[in-house]
Amino acid sequence: FFFAQQRAPSPQRCAAPMAAPAATSANAPKETVYVNNLSEKVNQEEMKKSLYAVFAPFGPIIDIVHFKSNKMRGQAFVVFRDVPAASSAVRQMQGFPFYDKPMKLDYAKAKSDATAKLDGSYLAKVREERTAKRRAEREERKAGAKKEKAAAPKAPREEAADAEMAAPAAPAAPAAPAAPATLACTSVIIAAFLKYWS
């Protein structure tokens, strides 16, 4: 009954093109499209094939980079041959439900290696230097975190234990002459244990 009361849309409304969601990008248009918010449940090969099938209608694809590492989980890069194809893909596929999650698209921040190889600007030496620099920065951050952890204030209980260890030991009471040596060592250990935990 509800559907019978609705009017059919006018031909003018049907003929009007649907506006694609505006693609607001912080990065300048490039051949490489950054894809975010991908399903993490799909294996790597299936994800690459699916991304190729979804983005192939927009233009020739040179490369698809998708990693399953923790840092890159749910992200991929699709490298097109030219900028207009990438721009068309970003405009039309923004928010497209892909494996039950809406894709978030943007242009990559830097030129991809595949694009650089095509135009002849790829230098393996520069890439290796950049990788080594990033590795050194990462190790430096880890070393800084370890120093901060070591310099962090200790809990009051730890400070008390350190003070007891650093304080000169009080002279031990003379042991009973008839006690065997192992019994004397055991009682000293027990006394130190009780003193530490009391």
Side-chain angles (χ1 to χ4, degrees):
F1 177 76
F2 175 74
F3 295 109
Q5 291 180 348
Q6 289 184 338
R7 296 184 325 177
S10 66
Q12 291 83 14
R13 289 181 71 193
C14 291
M18 247 181 130
T24 56
S25 175
N27 302 321
K30 289 187 184 57
E31 296 89 352
T32 306
V33 176
Y34 170 70
V35 185
N36 194 0
N37 199 31
L38 295 174
S39 176
E40 299 164 10
K41 297 176 184 175
V42 182
N43 70 33
Q44 188 172 2
E45 286 304 312
E46 184 179 343
M47 181 61 75
K48 281 186 175 183
K49 289 177 184 177
S50 299
L51 286 170
Y52 187 85
V54 168
F55 286 103
F58 297 102
I61 296 174
I62 299 171
D63 192 17
I64 295 178
V65 180
H66 176 256
F67 297 110
K68 291 291 281 190
S69 66
N70 285 339
K71 187 175 181 181
M72 292 296 294
R73 190 173 52 223
Q75 304 170 49
F77 293 94
V78 180
V79 184
F80 288 93
R81 182 167 290 160
D82 53 3
V83 176
S87 297
S88 177
V90 169
R91 275 193 316 272
Q92 294 180 20
M93 297 301 288
Q94 191 69 259
F96 179 78
F98 189 66
Y99 287 108
D100 299 328
K101 292 180 84 176
M103 285 193 291
K104 296 178 183 175
L105 304 177
D106 197 1
Y107 299 106
K109 292 179 182 178
K111 183 186 282 191
S112 70
D113 290 344
T115 307
K117 286 177 184 176
L118 275 181
D119 67 12
S121 64
Y122 179 76
L123 299 173
K125 184 178 179 181
V126 173
R127 174 150 173 96
E128 289 171 8
E129 289 173 358
R130 190 173 58 226
T131 304
K133 181 180 175 185
R134 287 181 184 158
R135 187 175 296 124
E137 288 173 354
R138 215 178 6 245
E139 290 172 2
E140 189 176 300
R141 282 193 306 266
K142 285 182 182 178
K146 286 181 182 179
K147 286 180 184 178
E148 287 177 12
K149 188 176 180 182
K154 294 182 180 180
R157 188 173 196 164
E158 291 177 12
E159 288 177 358
D162 289 347
E164 285 181 14
M165 296 297 227
T182 56
L183 185 60
C185 289
T186 307
S187 64
V188 170
I189 292 172
I190 291 172
F193 179 79
L194 291 173
K195 182 179 179 182
Y196 180 75
W197 287 105
S198 58

